[in-house]
């Protein structure tokens, strides 16, 4: 059988059809390659290995709604390929991030792994997984009800089950309203649970200590009536809620199904804490008593920042530019008050500056990351916990230093009625109370005591001759000399203008008291140092030992006053003790008789010595 040989026209037609088929095949190949997912190598999950960081895998950023589940299942992921550097992804309300995954179980046993996105502030993370040619999806995130999460937690976690030597395909979709880092990792199920348990223990300790600190500050604020402690307690409470919101604890345990508030609270609590910090630093640095302009300005700025936080909570909307302005104003105000106080020589300003520097730096980094600027990668939960751990103890120390000064002033103010303002000794009323207490102790338990009155007899002459200033200086020197020479005195107080009283409970023998009183009188005759003109102290001492002459407190004090009044300025017996049943009038008469005869005293006559007393 013979076939006809092909003609030239037939060969030309055959070549045309072959070229047309080749062109169609090339066009089909190009169409198939267009929109396909980037080539993703399979990740081999070895048993006991991990965690695997997936940040270096190819990612695709596409407009929201441009891709559907069918496109993802078919591998047609159109958009702009992203090779993120692990710091931040330029997400927005109009974009979404797609991450294709191919995972291979390298074990001969079934394995369970966790896919994690450890960033609690991510709005929504959806995982598409294929099994037996059927695709399923599950979602978690800040804008997803906690009850709908595949696994409850602080951030999105998805369980992945593998059969032995099985290779599975996954697609991850991430949505967020602002730029944010999208850390992704794979860990074994057991390792993931252990890590969460350890983190739970750490968070529990931090929040427990914050709760105790808040309670202690509230109690101290009520006891001391100091509003600074109340502000510190409110600031610590808001920092605790801000830390819980940023780390995802409040979403997990408190308001997981209130998605609007769960999202807004991550901005409300930090902004409110910033506003309260302005008021707290204003109180710590005592700006109100030093600069009215800065005080009024800081009060207004703190109130304005708190008003912004309240507006965010009421409206349920967070405006990043407004939040950035509020946080920046609060930070600058705090630093300005701290530096201003430090420059005025108050160390509290330095402590406030050191305490706020880490938290303000962290806040600046978080705000920059919200606008797509991130110099380096960091874990916001860990960084926040470290900043809080630095600021609260330092601020508490500054508050303690301020409270010590405040309480010291209050203590001095309370003690002013009981202290003699000139000599620093007990006031007459308080000394009289101590005398009554000593008498009652003797009557109740026979606890012996001696009461001494020391009078500067030449005090009126000094005031008349040298003026009131010299007289007051004389009493101050007398009090100092008395405290130095009578170290056994349990209580020293001023009785009258020129009389000082002592209560001695440790040394009650008359001989020992006489020896100390003699030394005191002798030192009084020495001119006072550094006092112009030179002045000596002519001292008279009258005492009573309760065991020898028990008297009631009013009678005792009156008897001591009477004895001092009855003593002549030129007496040869400047030291006396009360005796039971002895007439003081007789002793006074004996003194007068003694003064009538020339008497040798201290190297001179009584008259010459008495005349020299006020003028030496």
């Amino acid at each position: 059988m013979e076939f006809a040989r092909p003609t030239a026209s037939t060969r030309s037609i055959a070549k045309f059809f072959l070229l047309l088929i080749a062109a169609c095949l090339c066009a089909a190949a190009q169409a198939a390659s267009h929109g396909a997912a980037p080539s993703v190598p399979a990740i081999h999950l070895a048993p006991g290995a991990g965690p695997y960081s997936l940040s270096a895998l190819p990612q695709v950023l596409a407009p929201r709604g441009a891709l559907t589940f069918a496109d993802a299942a078919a591998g047609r992921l159109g958009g702009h390929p992203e090779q993120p550097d692990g710091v931040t992804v330029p997400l927005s309300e109009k974009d979404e991030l797609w991450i294709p995954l191919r995972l291979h179980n390298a074990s001969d046993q079934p394995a369970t792994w966790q896919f994690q996105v450890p960033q609690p502030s991510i709005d929504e993370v959806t995982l598409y997984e294929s099994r037996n040619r059927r695709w399923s999806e599950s979602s978690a995130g800040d804008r997803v009800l906690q009850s709908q999460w595949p696994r409850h937690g602080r951030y999105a976690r998805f369980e992945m089950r593998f059969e032995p030597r099985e290779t599975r395909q996954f697609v991850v979709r991430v949505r967020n309203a602002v730029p944010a880092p999208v850390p992704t990792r794979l860990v074994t199920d057991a390792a993931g649970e252990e890590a969460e348990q350890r983190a739970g223990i750490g968070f529990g300790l931090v929040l427990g200590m914050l709760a105790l600190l808040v309670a202690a500050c509230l109690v101290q604020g009520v006891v001391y009536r100091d509003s600074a402690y109340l502000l510190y307690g409110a600031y610590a409470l808001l920092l605790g809620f801000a830390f819980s919101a940023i780390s995802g604890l409040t979403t997990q345990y408190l308001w997981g199904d209130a998605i609007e508030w769960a999202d807004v609270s991550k901005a409300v609590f930090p902004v409110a804490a910033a506003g309260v910090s302005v008021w707290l630093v204003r109180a710590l640095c005592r700006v109100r008593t030093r600069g009215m302009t800065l005080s009024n300005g800081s009060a207004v700025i703190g109130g304005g920042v708190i008003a912004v936080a309240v507006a965010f909570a009421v409206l349920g909307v967070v405006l990043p530019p407004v939040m950035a302005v509020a946080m920046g104003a609060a930070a600058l105000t705090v630093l300005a008050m701290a530096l201003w106080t430090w420059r005025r020589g108050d160390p509290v300003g330095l402590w406030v500056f050191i305490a706020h520097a880490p938290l303000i730096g962290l806040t600046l980094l978080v705000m920059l990351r919200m606008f797509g600027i991130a110099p380096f990668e960091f874990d916001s939960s860990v960084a926040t916990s470290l900043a809080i751990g630095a600021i609260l103890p330092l601020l508490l120390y500054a508050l303690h230093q301020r409270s010590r000064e405040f309480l010291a002033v209050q203590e001095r103010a309370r003690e002013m009625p009981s202290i003699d303002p000139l000599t620093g000794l007990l006031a007459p009323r308080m000394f009289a109370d101590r005398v009554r207490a000593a008498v009652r102790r003797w009557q109740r338990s026979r606890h012996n005591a001696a009461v001494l009155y020391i009078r500067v007899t030449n005090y009126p002459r000094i005031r008349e001759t040298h003026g009131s200033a010299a007289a007051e200086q004389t009493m101050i020197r007398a009090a100092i000399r008395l405290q130095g020479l009578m170290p056994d005195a349990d209580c020293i107080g001023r009785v009258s203008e020129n009389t000082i009283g002592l209560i001695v409970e440790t040394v009650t023998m008359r001989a020992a008291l006489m020896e100390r009183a003699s030394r005191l009188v002798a030192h009084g005759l020495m001119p006072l140092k550094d006092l112009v003109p030179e002045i000596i102290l002519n001292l008279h001492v009258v005492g009573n030992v309760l065991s020898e002459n028990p008297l009631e407190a009013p009678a005792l004090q009156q008897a001591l006053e009477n004895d001092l009044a009855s003593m002549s300025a030129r007496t040869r017996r400047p030291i006396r003790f009360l005796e039971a049943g002895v007439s003081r009038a007789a002793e006074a008469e004996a003194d007068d008789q003694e003064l009538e005869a020339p008497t040798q005293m201290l190297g001179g006559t009584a008259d010459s010595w008495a005349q020299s007393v006020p003028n030496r």
Side-chain angles (χ1 to χ4, degrees), residues 46-86:
Y52 294 95
S53 177
L54 307 179
S55 299
L57 292 179
Q59 303 175 4
V60 173
L61 188 66
R64 290 195 183 186
L67 299 178
T68 62
F69 169 72
D71 296 328
R76 295 188 298 271
L77 297 175
H80 301 284
E82 293 285 340
Q83 291 290 341
D85 54 3

Side-chain angles (χ1 to χ4, degrees), residues 17 29 44 60 71 79 88 128 142 148 156 282 284 293 316 318 326 339 395 398 404 427 435 451 464 467 488 586:
F17 278 107
H44 295 269
V60 173
D71 296 328
T88 184
Y128 299 93
D142 209 22
Q148 297 178 0
R282 176 174 175 266
L284 282 177
T293 302
V318 177
L339 293 175
L395 281 185
R404 285 182 57 186
V435 173
V451 180
E464 180 182 351
D488 300 321

Side-chain angles (χ1 to χ4, degrees), residues 195-415:
E196 280 302 299
Q197 291 176 2
R198 290 193 298 269
I201 293 175
F203 290 143
L205 291 175
V206 171
L207 295 178
M209 289 187 291
L210 282 177
L212 291 176
L213 184 61
V214 170
C217 288
L218 294 180
V219 171
Q220 286 182 315
V222 174
V223 171
Y224 295 153
R225 297 180 181 178
D226 190 355
S227 60
Y229 277 101
L230 300 179
L231 287 174
Y232 182 85
Y235 182 58
L237 182 63
L238 289 173
L239 281 182
F241 274 107
F243 170 70
S244 301
I246 293 174
S247 61
L249 291 173
T250 54
T251 303
Q252 182 180 1
Y253 294 109
L254 296 181
W255 42 71
D257 289 340
I259 56 177
E260 296 291 339
W261 172 243
D263 189 36
V264 173
S265 64
K266 290 180 173 60
V268 171
F269 289 118
V271 174
V276 174
S277 71
V278 176
W279 288 351
L280 175 60
V281 173
R282 176 174 175 266
L284 282 177
C285 297
R286 291 174 289 186
V287 178
R288 186 170 56 181
T289 60
R290 298 175 177 178
M292 291 303 300
T293 302
L294 183 59
S295 174
N296 296 333
S298 60
V300 171
I301 292 175
V305 175
I306 294 176
V308 170
V310 173
F312 287 167
V314 172
L315 300 177
V317 177
V318 177
L319 301 177
V322 177
M323 180 179 176
V325 171
M327 298 290 281
L332 291 177
T333 305
V334 167
L335 294 180
M337 288 189 291
L339 293 175
W340 182 78
T341 304
W342 184 24
R343 184 180 179 185
R344 294 178 65 90
D346 191 344
V348 172
L350 177 61
W351 287 108
V352 171
F353 179 82
I354 295 175
H356 279 86
L359 189 59
I360 290 176
L362 174 63
T363 303
L364 178 62
L365 291 176
V366 172
M367 297 304 301
L368 290 176
R369 195 167 67 179
M370 290 179 61
F371 293 95
I373 303 172
F376 54 88
E377 184 180 4
F378 63 94
D379 190 331
S380 57
S381 299
V382 175
T384 303
S385 62
L386 293 176
I388 292 176
I391 190 173
L392 289 180
L394 293 175
L395 281 185
L396 185 60
Y397 177 78
L399 180 59
H400 177 66
Q401 292 293 107
R402 172 193 173 277
S403 296
R404 285 182 57 186
E405 298 177 3
F406 183 69
L407 293 176
V409 172
Q410 285 186 332
E411 186 69 20
R412 288 194 296 269
R414 283 195 299 266
E415 294 295 332

